[in-house]
Amino acid sequence: MPKEFKLPETEEGTILFNIDPIIIKDHYEIDYIHSYAQDSPFFAGLSKGKLLGSRCTACNYKYATPRSHCMQCGQKTEWFELPLEGSVHTYTTCYFGSEAFLKETPFTLILVEFPGVDTFLLSRLVGARPEEVRIGMPVKARFLRLSKFRATDVYFVLPEEAPAR
Amino acid sequence: MRPVYMISGGITKFKKAHPDKDFRLMVKEAFDNAMADVPHLKADMIDGSVGSYFSDHFTRQLKAASMVQDYLGLCPRPSKRVEGGGATGGLCFQAAWEAIASGRMKVCLAFGFETMSRVSTWKGNEFIAHASDTNFDYPVGGFYTGYYAMMVRRHMHEFGTTVEQMAMVSIKNHKNAFYNPYAQSPMELTIKDVRQSPMVATPLTMLDICQMSDGAAVAILASEEVAKKVCPRPVKVTGVGCGTDSMRMADRPRGNVILLPHEKEEDYKGLRYPGVHSFRGGRMAAKLAYEMAGIKNPIEELDFIELHDAYTSSEIQTCEDLGLCRYGEGGRFVEEGNPFMPGIDYGLKLRKQGKIPVNPSGGLLAFGHPVGATGLMQAVMAFWQLQGTIEKHLGNDRLQIKDAKRGLIHSHAGTGTYITVSILESI
Ligand SMILES: [Zn+2]
């Protein structure tokens, strides 16, 4: 065995912002193995052009964003098909955003209200000018042809027959 | 339950970045400030601590509160970390209260910090957006300002709240911060300045929103026996309350308003509550705290409020949740001048200026919002107000509320998922 051990030198180096105090760039990233678990049918539904909500088997409360147990009474819910048309409950147009979405700005977020359904669905409204969006405006679901199995597989547009005022 | 007192508090300056101090040293600085105010309290009299920081993403150091515990020399005494989004500091304060009230400890240190400068503002927004449902909310365009923008849009629709009323909150809190050397963003603004600053998410502009901050704060709570021994002017914690709501804003059910003692059912005929325009958890927290403190009519029985104004809109919404005015009247409540400090010129015509000062410290908008420290900063500011030591601590008395007897602090997480209200009183 050789007497002297020595770590091999590498040339990666470090990005240095500042020397007093020393501030360096510290990289970190990760991929998760993510299961939608009991909510999986919702995402499968999106890939088939369907919006699936949850209906409580005990108290009949209807959820536009699914959950397999009822928030009101704790009982099991069952899947039901939501209508593909709803209206804008509230909205905003984002000119900034989280880093992951900055490149998509400006984008418009809406909470969609469906007739007879007790809760809403968060989605994007596409193809409307920010200044023409209104509370109560009818909107229609559209789906990505190539599903990504993400909540963004569905988005909303203005129905052609009812142009925005 | 045993009576609980706050006997000291300390804060670091809240800043965009503190690269010269890591979180341990920031807390140490706030802790030393607090200890210097109570020389008869020896470090070995502290029975344990509760640590508060929001985000493991920002620290990228799990168990960071353990590193503070050892840095402060408190090992091997009991400690734990409390985490609850934006309400982390308020929850930490109440966890320390629980330790004293239960008799488990005679002296408990509540410490909190956040180091948000470690990533860019937009990456920071991404971290914070992970405090929304990561299956259904975050991927759609997760952005807290977007969520609050949708909530206030609905508040405007229901009640006629205006962007000018929101801008007045910004003017107030930034101007208050002018007299607070610990604050991050003192500014003198006009309604035009606020409206003309860059639009972030309609209708919220850059000046409607708090910034990312680095900072730390501590509060020391004690039993009556210790408080009377070591502190010439302890402040009693007479009420604590906490409320919650669904993680997803889209899930907010619609029912009846939770009434406070001074309200009647007919005040709210036809109002579908909370919808996305109001914070049911905030109302619940207030109701519980008022019941414990014996408060029947908050606006008449409180002298000041430090509340969680991450957005100008959420200050208006929270004034309603706390029952300072009825639901729907928050915008006018501000416009009339009620929550402004008396004796400060804001460049606005205010008919009822100073009725009940809200965020005399500058609030999150102008003091800053290093999340885990924020709720404790509010406790420290309330403590100094009730002690009458604002001049001693801030170097001037412009923000001292004369003869303040009773104050309220309010800490708020998510889109209203965890909310705490605590009542402090001078004795
Ligand atoms: Zn049910």
Side-chain angles (χ1 to χ4, degrees):
Chain A
M1 254 176 121
K3 267 191 189 149
E4 271 190 30
F5 285 99
K6 212 170 174 192
L7 277 178
E9 301 290 339
T10 65
E11 290 181 3
E12 278 97 61
T14 291
I15 294 176
L16 181 67
F17 296 111
N18 217 324
I19 195 75
D20 183 24
I22 292 173
I23 304 176
I24 61 168
K25 184 166 185 165
D26 194 12
H27 183 72
Y28 182 58
E29 66 179 57
I30 191 159
D31 286 314
Y32 285 92
I33 299 159
H34 182 65
S35 170
Y36 287 124
Q38 71 273 19
D39 293 330
S40 297
F42 174 81
F43 296 91
L46 296 183
S47 71
K48 295 174 208 150
K50 284 179 183 171
L51 275 178
L52 294 180
S54 305
R55 175 171 45 217
C56 178
T57 54
C59 76
N60 205 35
Y61 204 84
K62 294 189 190 69
Y63 297 90
T65 313
R67 55 173 61 235
S68 64
H69 285 85
C70 176
M71 199 168 69
Q72 302 295 319
C73 75
Q75 296 304 302
K76 263 199 81 61
T77 60
E78 59 189 12
W79 294 99
F80 79 104
E81 222 173 297
L82 288 161
L84 297 182
E85 287 179 12
S87 61
V88 172
H89 182 75
T90 188
Y91 64 93
T92 182
T93 299
C94 298
Y95 291 88
F96 292 88
S98 297
E99 192 180 86
F101 306 112
L102 267 185
K103 58 183 182 303
E104 298 165 27
T105 58
F107 55 83
T108 297
L109 297 176
I110 55 173
L111 283 180
V112 185
E113 190 172 348
F114 299 95
V117 179
D118 296 288
T119 70
F120 312 124
L121 179 71
L122 175 67
S123 195
R124 290 217 193 165
L125 177 63
V126 176
R129 290 192 312 278
E131 62 278 9
E132 69 180 338
V133 187
R134 296 281 179 278
I135 286 174
M137 174 185 259
V139 289
K140 193 175 84 177
R142 206 169 260 178
F143 299 86
L144 289 184
R145 188 170 51 86
L146 300 178
S147 305
K148 294 185 166 68
F149 296 91
R150 302 266 172 203
T152 41
D153 284 355
V154 62
Y155 55 97
F156 284 77
V157 296
L158 304 178
E160 309 81 28
E161 61 274 19
R165 272 161 293 158
Chain B
M1 281 182 307
R2 302 173 189 212
V4 178
Y5 294 80
M6 181 160 170
I7 58 168
S8 197
I11 327 177
T12 64
K13 184 175 168 64
F14 288 4
K15 278 172 75 169
K16 182 86 207 159
H18 266 305
D20 49 327
K21 294 170 195 143
D22 72 4
F23 58 92
R24 300 169 305 163
L25 185 52
M26 285 197 303
V27 176
K28 172 72 172 155
E29 188 182 301
F31 176 65
D32 286 349
N33 289 344
M35 290 301 280
D37 277 354
V38 277
H40 296 295
L41 180 75
K42 303 299 170 204
D44 61 7
M45 292 164 72
I46 298 170
D47 296 309
S49 73
V50 187
S52 153
Y53 64 100
F54 155 57
S55 175
D56 295 318
H57 291 78
F58 280 113
T59 51
R60 225 192 113 194
Q61 168 64 67
L62 303 189
K63 300 284 287 103
S66 292
M67 295 172 71
V68 176
Q69 179 80 353
D70 76 41
Y71 201 81
L72 298 181
L74 294 175
C75 295
R77 283 166 266 177
S79 186
K80 67 183 166 204
R81 172 208 183 175
V82 167
E83 189 278 311
T88 298
L91 290 164
C92 175
F93 182 81
Q94 294 192 351
W97 177 89
E98 285 154 12
I100 305 294
S102 65
R104 184 180 181 190
M105 294 185 195
K106 290 192 181 70
V107 180
C108 184
L109 169 71
F111 67 79
F113 65 86
E114 209 72 46
T115 48
M116 307 176 84
S117 66
R118 302 187 71 240
V119 294
S120 76
T121 291
W122 307 114
K123 193 58 157 183
N125 271 283
E126 195 178 302
F127 288 173
I128 292 166
H130 280 84
S132 61
D133 188 313
T134 52
N135 284 342
F136 293 98
D137 292 343
Y138 174 77
V140 179
F143 184 34
Y144 258 92
T145 304
Y147 303 156
Y148 275 79
M150 283 189 280
M151 296 178 105
V152 76
R153 175 62 69 192
R154 194 67 203 186
H155 198 275
M156 293 163 77
H157 175 81
E158 296 278 349
F159 305 126
T161 310
T162 68
V163 292
E164 289 77 18
Q165 291 165 341
M166 287 150 57
M168 289 174 75
V169 173
S170 182
I171 293 170
K172 169 173 70 70
N173 295 358
H174 285 99
K175 180 72 190 247
N176 290 351
F178 231 82
Y179 306 102
N180 178 359
Y182 289 100
Q184 182 172 345
S185 313
M187 277 190 263
E188 287 183 305
L189 299 170
T190 63
I191 289 175
K192 204 171 150 196
D193 292 332
V194 179
R195 292 316 301 165
Q196 289 187 347
S197 74
M199 185 56 72
V200 179
T202 55
L204 298 172
T205 73
M206 215 59 105
L207 287 172
D208 283 306
I209 307 169
C210 66
Q211 294 178 293
M212 303 274 167
S213 315
D214 283 4
V218 309
I220 305 176
L221 302 193
S223 67
E224 187 162 280
E225 180 200 345
V226 175
K228 298 227 155 122
K229 203 157 67 190
V230 304
C231 181
R233 293 201 67 181
V235 161
K236 194 171 181 181
V237 185
T238 55
V240 293
C242 177
T244 59
D245 214 328
S246 64
M247 181 67 151
R248 300 192 294 238
M249 207 168 75
D251 283 351
R252 299 290 156 84
R254 287 169 282 170
N256 295 328
V257 175
I258 301 166
L259 297 176
L260 294 174
H262 68 290
E263 294 178 322
K264 292 181 295 292
E265 218 169 292
E266 49 273 30
D267 294 345
Y268 298 121
K269 275 228 172 71
L271 177 63
R272 297 195 300 171
Y273 178 87
V276 296
H277 51 75
S278 297
F279 303 117
R280 182 173 58 155
R283 177 48 73 93
M284 185 70 187
K287 184 173 188 289
L288 292 171
Y290 292 160
E291 277 168 7
M292 193 185 287
I295 293 172
K296 299 273 183 289
N297 189 355
I299 190 160
E300 299 304 332
E301 297 173 50
L302 291 164
D303 298 311
F304 67 91
I305 313 276
E306 287 287 344
L307 64 76
H308 194 96
D309 57 325
Y311 303 91
T312 53
S313 50
S314 52
E315 176 162 321
I316 289 174
Q317 291 161 310
T318 298
C319 286
E320 298 172 354
D321 298 327
L322 299 178
L324 305 182
C325 57
R326 283 195 302 196
Y327 277 111
E329 292 176 351
R332 254 167 300 150
F333 178 77
V334 170
E335 195 172 289
E336 290 171 352
N338 296 283
F340 287 74
M341 279 294 291
I344 290 179
D345 180 9
Y346 295 94
L348 296 165
K349 268 224 312 273
L350 304 165
R351 225 156 31 84
K352 297 185 181 171
Q353 181 168 356
K355 171 74 181 161
I356 180 158
V358 174
N359 288 325
S361 70
L364 284 61
L365 284 169
F367 199 138
H369 184 25
V371 185
T374 303
L376 295 171
M377 166 280 276
Q378 296 172 327
V380 177
M381 292 303 294
F383 175 72
W384 290 343
Q385 286 287 4
L386 294 164
Q387 275 195 320
T389 57
I390 287 288
E391 182 169 14
K392 177 190 162 195
H393 289 101
L394 303 188
N396 74 87
D397 70 349
R398 295 297 295 273
L399 300 177
Q400 178 69 55
I401 289 137
K402 306 281 172 280
D403 304 316
K405 293 275 181 306
R406 200 188 236 167
L408 179 153
I409 56 176
H410 162 276
S411 195
H412 173 118
T415 53
T417 43
Y418 290 154
I419 301 177
T420 65
V421 169
S422 305
I423 312 287
L424 285 77
E425 294 184 33
S426 64
I427 53 165

